[in-house]
Each structure stands twice: as structure tokens, then as C-alpha cells.
Amino acid sequence: MNLRFLDEAELRRRVDMPSAIRAVADAFALLWRGDADAPVRTPLVDGHGVTLFMPGRLGARTTGLKVVSVRSGNHARGLPAIHAVVLTVDPVTGIPEAALDARWLTALRTGAATGVATERLARSDAATLTVFGAGAQAEAQVEAVAAVRDLTEVRIVSSSGTSARRLADRLVERGVVPRAVGGSDGGAALRGADIVVTVTDSPTPVLNDADIEPGTHVNAVGGYTLAMQELPTTLVARSRVFVDERAAVLDEAGDIVTPIEAGVLTVDALVELGAVVAGDRPGRQSPDQVTVFKSVGNIVQDLAVARLALDRGDRGRAD
């Protein structure tokens, strides 16, 4: 067995955000058309945290498994809270092909999904982004939106404002956006925002529905259990709602299940993003429409980025 290993540094060399967005868009279209398999992930919970197992198949070339562990106690140990690995398997022979360090890959593919949704659902003139959450996923979220819209300002909100200000400074220093500010006042940050991203694990809504203006596009990517709800039910009820996959969000997304149980949202109203990418369903239908994209994360995103990284390495050796 010749098992390759790609660490974070190698993945960063091989894959950038624009190419990841294109790969994830193609993966969503394959999922919608039935050319991919993504069983609902299996969580194992113990006294330390949760470990998630996500098997999947993407097209005819890529089969794999992602394992993600979430341990909030790691902060006290000086360790990241999230660790992950993706294992790909040759679909013909069954021989394990490669293992990829998926901690950064997770942030990249989650950001890429936001990029796909924003490219197709946000107004073409959207220029102001507000992000709730300044953790490990937030930076990639800004990079993804900046890859598909010409942003003039980014506003980042965290509970204390300290981490938000640090992230804002880093984004400007890196040249990702021309202007970024951080703070803790969510209401002020939402005024005039064209695009909103929530990337928290909050059990209660982090947005006030009244602060979301007509024409806003919202990406909710933080919550991944029924106990988490970043968006107010009233906001979801008045929006056109898009999801990464119906089965997954119905099993895992409090942002979607709570409004359905309240009788203000129907399952039939949920539009899979892959259907929009494939041209089978419309996206935004008017400039004033509020659109919401809810994602709990899908293995096809990971496999798409993994395949891209592996193929680019193979081409490099061939050259």
C-alpha cells in the first residue's frame, strides 16, 4: 500500500479559494443529480466531546471518509478544538489512496460552500459583509465572499469584540479586503449589510430579524445540530431558503427544523443549492428578496477539495 499524506502546508500550496469554490459547486450539482452519495453523518458522543464520521462518494473517481473530532476542552490544553482527517479510497480496487489533514481543509470547503451560495444568491452589487463569529472558520468565510463579490467593507462581530478586531486587522494586513472592522454590536454591524454570515455554535439566534434589510443574503454555516439555532425563526419564515442537502438539514439543522415544527416553513420550500448550480431551480427572484443558505456541511465538499488537491499533485509529478 502506497498511502500518500497531504498536510496543511501542502494543501495550501495546491488549492486556493477560487478553485475550491468551483470544485464545490460542481460537487453540489453532482449531489443534486444523483451522481454522488452522502449518507447522514454518524456522531459518537462521549464525556469529552463528539466525533463525527462522514462517508461518501463523489462521481466515479472519489470515495472516502471524513472523521472530525470536536473537543471544547482542548482550549485549556492549548490545542485546537477541532481536528479532522479525510481518507480517500480507490473506488475500483478499494485500496486506500491518500490521507489529508482536514482541519484547514474543513475551513476551506465550508468557506467554498458559502462562496458558491453567495455567487448565485447575493445581489450582484452586494459590497458590505457582516460576519458573526471570529473563530477558526471565520477567516475562510470572508475570503470566499471576497472571491465572488467586490467587497468594500467587512464587519466582524464576536461576543467581546476582541477576537473580531484581531481578525479584522489580519484580513486587512493580508489584503483580503480593503477595510474591516471588528466589534460586539451586532445591530450596528447589520445596518446596511448586503451579505451576512453566521459561523457560531450558538443555541439561540445571533441575529435580530428586524435588523435584516430587504435584499440581504444570509449564509448560516455554524450550527450543525438540532440544538443549535443561529437564525431567528421569523427570518427563516420570510426568506427564500436554500440548503446544501435536504436530508442532512432535516436531521441536523435547528435553523431549519425549528421553523418547520413551528409551521412557518415547509420541507417543499427548501431548495438544494445543487439544483441552482445545475440550472434546474432559480436562485434569487427579486432585488428585495431575502435569501438564506443553510449548510451543515457535506462530505461531497471535502471529497471535491481532496480530489482537486490530489489531481494537482499528480499533474505536478507528471510534468
Side-chain angles (χ1 to χ4, degrees):
M1 181 189 304
N2 184 22
L3 185 67
R4 286 178 280 169
F5 177 71
L6 274 65
D7 62 12
E8 178 178 328
E10 184 63 24
L11 287 169
R12 285 180 180 270
R13 281 192 290 271
R14 297 189 185 193
V15 183
D16 59 12
M17 183 59 77
S19 61
I21 290 172
R22 293 191 294 272
V24 169
D26 291 342
F28 279 139
L30 287 173
L31 183 63
W32 164 251
R33 291 170 177 153
D35 292 329
D37 294 315
V40 174
R41 58 188 156 204
T42 300
L44 293 182
V45 181
D46 58 28
H48 303 287
V50 60
T51 303
L52 306 167
F53 297 86
M54 305 163 61
R57 175 187 65 86
L58 183 62
R61 295 188 58 216
T62 309
T63 300
L65 171 73
K66 182 179 184 181
V67 180
V68 183
S69 64
V70 183
R71 302 289 189 271
S72 57
N74 278 1
H75 293 302
R77 303 182 183 95
L79 297 170
I82 298 175
H83 292 271
V85 63
V86 169
L87 175 69
T88 63
V89 176
D90 186 293
V92 176
T93 66
I95 298 173
E97 177 187 22
L100 298 87
D101 181 347
R103 194 161 64 90
W104 177 76
L105 187 152
T106 297
L108 177 69
R109 62 82 145 153
T110 305
T114 291
V116 175
T118 301
E119 185 172 33
R120 286 158 176 81
L121 303 176
R123 299 192 324 271
S124 59
D125 62 348
T128 301
L129 167 66
T130 295
V131 178
F132 282 75
Q137 300 273 353
E139 189 163 354
Q141 292 292 312
V142 177
E143 288 186 29
V145 176
V148 299
R149 289 294 183 272
D150 293 326
L151 297 178
T152 58
E153 182 178 356
V154 173
R155 306 160 182 172
I156 303 169
V157 180
S158 64
S159 56
S160 69
T162 302
S163 58
R165 285 187 285 272
R166 284 199 298 264
L167 177 56
D169 291 343
R170 187 161 67 248
L171 288 165
V172 173
E173 289 171 3
R174 289 184 53 212
V176 176
V177 290
R179 183 172 187 269
V181 295
S184 58
D185 188 340
L190 284 172
R191 283 195 287 272
D194 304 310
I195 303 165
V196 177
V197 172
T198 60
V199 58
T200 77
D201 58 1
S202 177
T204 57
V206 297
L207 308 181
N208 184 341
D209 184 17
D211 294 327
I212 302 296
E213 299 180 4
T216 303
H217 171 64
V218 180
N219 298 290
V221 301
Y224 55 91
T225 72
L226 296 177
M228 299 176 184
Q229 186 182 1
E230 297 183 293
L231 307 182
T233 294
T234 51
L235 171 63
V236 176
R238 70 181 176 99
S239 303
R240 182 164 167 80
V241 181
F242 301 81
V243 298
D244 47 8
E245 186 187 27
R246 277 187 182 180
V249 298
L250 293 175
D251 192 69
E252 300 175 341
D255 288 301
I256 299 301
V257 173
T258 300
I260 289 175
E261 291 179 342
V264 298
L265 180 69
T266 66
V267 174
D268 289 343
L270 304 176
V271 181
E272 291 198 8
L273 186 58
V276 180
V277 175
D280 295 334
R281 295 287 297 275
R284 170 175 293 276
Q285 296 174 306
S286 72
D288 290 337
Q289 187 175 56
V290 176
T291 53
V292 166
F293 170 59
K294 174 57 193 175
S295 174
V296 293
N298 194 289
I299 183 62
V300 300
Q301 300 166 238
D302 302 280
L303 295 180
V305 175
R307 183 78 271 152
L308 179 63
L310 292 170
D311 286 351
R312 286 185 167 179
D314 290 342
R315 285 198 298 270
R317 281 195 295 274
D319 294 341

